[in-house]
Amino acid sequence: MAMPQHFLHLEDIPTEELPGLLDRGASIKSHRLVLDSLAGSGLVLLFEKASTRTRVSFEVATRELGGYTLFMTPAESQLGRSEPLRDTARVLSRYCRGMVVRTFSQANLRELASYAEIPVINALSDSFHPCQVLSDLLTIRERTPDLSRVTVAWIGDGNNVAQSWINAAAKLPFTLFLACPDGFEPDRDLVNRALGAGAEIKLTRDPRQAVSAADYVNTDVWASMGQEGEKEERLERFAPFSLTPELLAHAPAGARVMHCLPAHRGQEITEEVLESPASIVWDQAENRLHMQKALMEWVFSKC
Ligand code: CP
Ligand code: NVA
């Protein structure tokens, strides 16, 4: 049997296919296309962490493509009683057309993918959030079609979302400027790999420097899911990285503000900035639905 097309990170999409995939997301959205590419197919959503946007957008997208979803958590399945991932992957492959998985370690995704006979889609891990960044790229292209003119600033934690931005910068011609506190940078090997692939990536510890040429200023929570125990330390370390009106004043006029949500007002972003006309967070959330339809079409067209 041929290997299924998994989507564990953005590196799984060939560089030359990424612009076409984003175009497809845009046309699904703008033409409100009625599609049936998943007609009669069941997708299992296996989520080890909480979710609002990812869960609901995948559930709605799957139904609007003619399929249906089954939601599963470790607590309610035999995974919570130590059934191995490799057994779970092989069993679910006999029932379903694909698996959408939100988990902790990227190694869990790799294990599922290596035993699954169906595509595995990363719905967020500790290392990456590729579905989020795909949708965010669509949100940016709606405003600036020529990505070579775009500078994206990332302010805060060099986390899963930041690392997917780094993967994206290796495939598309925008500039990525990250400002992270000492000790909270993205993985150095990942950055080096992206730089080696020609990415325009800069790193600084000064958030004002990072926003100074940014068309899009992006932030995210300071303590991601699974890091709750580090919250107090992080609140202190990240305080200078809060996206406040004062920090945004260092960005060019017209810069837009992005956040994958959920937001912690008063921490990584102020209420004023989140609710300002510069904020495009609700479009980002909406685009999860359209872009994940395009992604699922792409993944399942390869099987
Ligand atoms: N942005 C995002 O993935 O949100 P959820 O955690 O609500 O799915
Ligand atoms: N970095 C955040 C993203 C939430 C969508 C987390 O992993 O919790």
Side-chain angles (χ1 to χ4, degrees):
M1 185 190 286
M3 272 281 286
Q5 173 66 61
H6 300 300
F7 181 61
L8 306 189
H9 37 58
L10 281 167
E11 287 175 299
D12 285 328
I13 300 178
T15 300
E16 65 281 7
E17 293 187 42
L18 186 51
L21 183 58
L22 293 167
D23 288 343
R24 180 65 180 158
S27 49
I28 287 173
K29 178 177 182 178
S30 63
H31 303 302
R32 305 277 159 202
L33 296 179
V34 177
L35 301 159
D36 65 353
S37 43
L38 286 181
S41 300
L43 254 68
V44 65
L45 268 54
L46 170 56
F47 276 44
E48 291 194 88
K49 295 177 177 176
S51 173
T52 297
R53 281 144 288 270
T54 308
R55 176 180 177 177
V56 175
S57 58
F58 264 109
E59 295 214 16
V60 173
T62 304
R63 282 175 196 226
E64 292 186 1
L65 292 175
Y68 59 94
T69 54
L70 300 105
F71 188 74
M72 205 175 124
T73 65
E76 292 155 357
S77 67
Q78 299 291 8
L79 276 169
R81 297 171 66 248
S82 305
E83 183 167 19
L85 286 170
R86 60 186 182 279
D87 295 2
T88 307
R90 285 175 285 190
V91 170
L92 294 177
S93 296
R94 302 295 172 104
Y95 304 139
C96 297
R97 178 109 183 261
M99 298 174 68
V100 178
V101 182
R102 174 165 282 201
T103 186
F104 290 88
S105 88
Q106 192 70 11
N108 288 348
L109 283 165
R110 284 196 297 271
E111 180 173 350
L112 284 166
S114 66
Y115 284 90
E117 293 157 23
I118 55 175
V120 175
I121 294 175
N122 182 356
L124 181 148
S125 66
D126 290 347
S127 305
F128 298 108
H129 196 2
C131 294
Q132 179 68 51
V133 172
L134 261 190
S135 311
D136 293 348
L137 289 166
L138 174 62
T139 309
I140 290 179
R141 285 205 343 173
E142 288 172 340
R143 292 165 176 81
T144 320
D146 179 2
L147 289 180
S148 68
R149 297 160 57 94
V150 166
T151 295
V152 175
W154 179 270
I155 308 300
D157 194 14
N159 64 12
N160 44 8
V161 183
Q163 297 205 143
S164 283
W165 274 107
I166 289 164
N167 282 345
K171 291 185 174 289
L172 293 166
F174 64 90
T175 299
L176 180 62
F177 207 158
L178 301 108
C180 309
D182 190 8
F184 297 92
E185 299 90 351
D187 181 70
R188 193 67 234 179
D189 289 344
L190 183 83
V191 174
N192 287 340
R193 208 161 60 241
L195 290 170
E200 287 288 334
I201 298 177
K202 297 181 229 173
L203 291 147
T204 178
R205 300 217 187 290
D206 179 359
R208 282 172 298 188
Q209 189 190 4
V211 304
S212 64
D215 307 290
Y216 296 90
V217 180
N218 216 317
T219 191
D220 186 15
V221 293
W222 291 341
S224 286
M225 290 180 280
Q227 297 172 331
E228 289 79 6
E230 299 170 26
K231 196 173 160 210
E232 291 313 314
E233 185 207 340
R234 283 171 174 262
L235 277 177
E236 211 176 296
R237 298 292 303 281
F238 283 81
F241 292 77
S242 184
L243 191 43
T244 58
E246 294 72 37
L247 176 55
L248 201 56
H250 292 269
R256 303 301 190 115
V257 169
M258 301 180 74
H259 192 310
C260 66
L261 304 177
H264 295 74
R265 290 165 166 86
Q267 295 182 23
E268 75 275 3
I269 192 164
T270 63
E271 168 86 5
E272 193 178 343
V273 172
L274 187 74
E275 300 290 355
S276 73
S279 168
I280 55 173
V281 301
W282 315 117
D283 288 349
Q284 285 179 262
E286 176 185 340
N287 284 339
R288 301 293 305 276
L289 173 67
H290 311 298
M291 202 54 228
Q292 284 157 199
K293 284 184 185 171
L295 173 70
M296 287 194 284
E297 268 190 359
W298 181 81
V299 162
F300 293 109
S301 72
K302 307 267 178 190
C303 308

